[in-house]
Amino acid sequence: MKFENLKELIQKSRCTRRFKPKEISIKELEELIDLARVTSSAKNMQPLKYILVTKKEFIKQLSQTALWATHLTNWTQSEEERPSAYIIMLNDKTIDGFAMFDAGVSFEAISLGAKAKELSVCALASINKEVCKELFNLPEHLEVLIGIAIGEAKEKIKLVKVENNNTNYYRDEEDIHCVPKRDLEELIIGKYK
């Protein structure tokens, strides 16, 4: 794969909050987890576990109890905009790893894999962890890290320049979801040749 193709895939891989109805199979979710499975893991301990959800009543409950797009105060997700599936990412506390590092790496692999399948995702740290524990009868050693909503995007998303140090996403007058990103020059604080 060429660098330009990877950059384009990453730029298109945005968190989506509005989805179209689309059937997603457990097999497709397994393929995404297979990508995450082979990513880097701190100390190679691999403490992450996953729950794959396509059951409609569980999707409804997870969607209704999560906090969606908290920067968008005048919007709530409608029933027709719900994702088609979820992946619940868990930390197995019996394994001495660094789950937060692994979670970031794994989420990016899942996100890029989904985009390559023409699907979109949304990472939800706001997934209701108590609801997850009850729905999936989780033992104490499994800690819910994030929920990953998956479906076909129903919204347009574009990257925009950060203005006045404000990185809050917003919807513009055309209802396009705008995601401010800092300039490269702001991120690199030194170059040593």
Side-chain angles (χ1 to χ4, degrees):
M1 173 181 276
K2 293 185 177 185
F3 180 80
E4 296 79 20
N5 299 81
L6 178 60
K7 185 175 182 179
E8 182 181 350
L9 183 64
I10 290 170
Q11 288 173 330
K12 288 181 178 180
S13 179
R14 315 285 354 132
C15 280
T16 300
R17 291 154 182 88
R18 293 174 172 167
F19 299 92
K20 297 177 189 176
K22 178 182 177 65
E23 289 296 317
I24 295 177
S25 69
I26 290 291
K27 176 153 180 48
E28 289 174 287
L29 298 180
E30 287 175 344
E31 290 170 350
L32 296 176
I33 299 308
D34 198 34
L35 291 176
R37 178 184 70 82
V38 297
T39 60
S40 296
S41 173
K43 300 192 292 184
N44 201 35
M45 295 303 292
Q46 306 167 51
L48 301 183
K49 307 287 190 248
Y50 305 89
I51 297 171
L52 312 180
V53 184
T54 59
K55 189 173 186 175
K56 292 192 186 327
E57 63 201 64
F58 285 7
I59 290 169
K60 179 179 179 179
Q61 196 163 358
L62 291 168
S63 295
Q64 287 176 330
T65 58
L67 297 175
W68 290 88
T70 56
H71 290 307
L72 303 177
T73 56
N74 61 349
W75 176 80
T76 55
Q77 187 183 58
S78 72
E79 222 174 294
E80 298 79 34
E81 296 173 325
R82 286 190 186 131
S84 302
Y86 276 93
I87 294 173
I88 307 300
M89 186 184 292
L90 308 167
N91 173 33
D92 184 339
K93 296 187 288 186
T94 66
I95 299 173
D96 179 31
F98 187 47
M100 293 315 293
F101 171 83
D102 288 22
V105 173
S106 296
F107 171 75
E108 191 64 14
I110 291 166
S111 178
L112 293 172
K115 188 49 68 181
K117 290 178 168 286
E118 298 183 0
L119 297 171
S120 294
V121 302
C122 186
L124 294 164
S126 68
I127 197 82
N128 189 312
K129 293 165 178 58
E130 292 306 313
V131 167
C132 289
K133 287 177 188 177
E134 290 174 25
L135 274 180
F136 308 117
N137 196 25
L138 295 178
E140 281 299 312
H141 73 280
L142 294 178
E143 168 189 29
V144 178
L145 295 177
I146 62 171
I148 304 170
I150 303 173
E152 184 178 340
K154 184 184 171 182
E155 64 185 343
K156 291 183 182 179
I157 302 172
K158 71 177 177 181
L159 301 179
V160 297
K161 182 181 167 107
V162 170
E163 300 287 343
N164 301 317
N165 206 31
N166 184 354
T167 59
N168 291 349
Y169 50 79
Y170 60 92
R171 298 243 164 89
D172 68 11
E173 61 281 345
E174 296 175 17
D175 204 31
I176 295 173
H177 190 84
C178 299
V179 182
K181 291 294 179 183
R182 298 184 190 280
D183 288 333
L184 180 62
E185 295 76 26
E186 187 178 346
L187 303 180
I188 298 173
I189 60 169
K191 297 179 186 178
Y192 303 90
K193 297 182 185 184

